[in-house]
Amino acid sequence: MRTSIYLAVTAKRNRRSTASDLSRQLSSATGTTLSRQTVYRRLGHIGLNARKPVRCVPHTATHCLLQLTWSRKHALWTPQQGSCVMFSNKYRFILQSDSRRTLI
């Protein structure tokens, strides 16, 4: 029970830490060894999911201006016109079957 509380407090203090990082911190602080998967599950039980570091492409002022300009230009589109456009926040698509990603 105490390990769950320690994990919760540590995870909330450093939101970018992974389950592996939290496992190492717990082991060094208390001597209790938990696997990465156990840490992941315990965090899930208390509502702290997705403990994976995320890299994203930062938006510059130019990106924001271009998006705003595009949306204003196409604000009066009908649903039929808009259905031909694919919106995504992904900066790349992998279409090879060996990539272990869902094909688009």
Side-chain angles (χ1 to χ4, degrees), residues 2 8 16 20 30 34 42 59 62 76-78 81-82 96-97 102:
R2 289 180 182 235
R16 292 180 181 249
S20 298
T30 64
L34 293 179
R42 288 195 183 176
H59 283 284
T62 305
L76 299 176
W77 271 17
T78 64
Q81 290 170 316
Q96 293 85 11
S97 62
T102 304

Side-chain angles (χ1 to χ4, degrees), residues 3-104:
T3 57
S4 296
I5 294 170
Y6 179 84
L7 287 173
V9 170
T10 307
K12 287 178 181 178
R13 283 184 183 164
N14 186 3
R15 294 200 176 263
R16 292 180 181 249
S17 59
T18 63
S20 298
D21 294 338
L22 293 172
S23 176
R24 282 191 295 274
Q25 290 174 8
L26 177 69
S27 178
S28 67
T30 64
T32 305
T33 304
L34 293 179
S35 70
R36 176 196 56 82
Q37 189 62 34
T38 303
V39 171
Y40 184 80
R41 266 195 310 274
R42 288 195 183 176
L43 290 174
H45 287 301
I46 58 175
L48 296 174
N49 298 320
R51 305 301 303 179
K52 295 179 183 177
V54 177
R55 290 187 184 186
C56 61
V57 179
H59 283 284
T60 63
T62 305
H63 288 129
C64 294
L65 183 61
L66 288 172
Q67 287 177 345
L68 181 62
T69 304
W70 189 92
S71 62
R72 285 182 177 165
K73 181 179 175 184
H74 300 92
L76 299 176
W77 271 17
T78 64
Q80 185 178 5
Q81 290 170 316
S83 67
C84 299
V85 179
M86 182 178 73
F87 294 96
S88 175
N89 61 352
K90 305 293 182 196
Y91 65 95
R92 68 179 181 161
F93 295 100
I94 306 294
L95 299 178
Q96 293 85 11
S97 62
D98 63 343
S99 65
R100 296 183 182 175
R101 294 186 185 200
T102 304
L103 298 179
I104 299 169

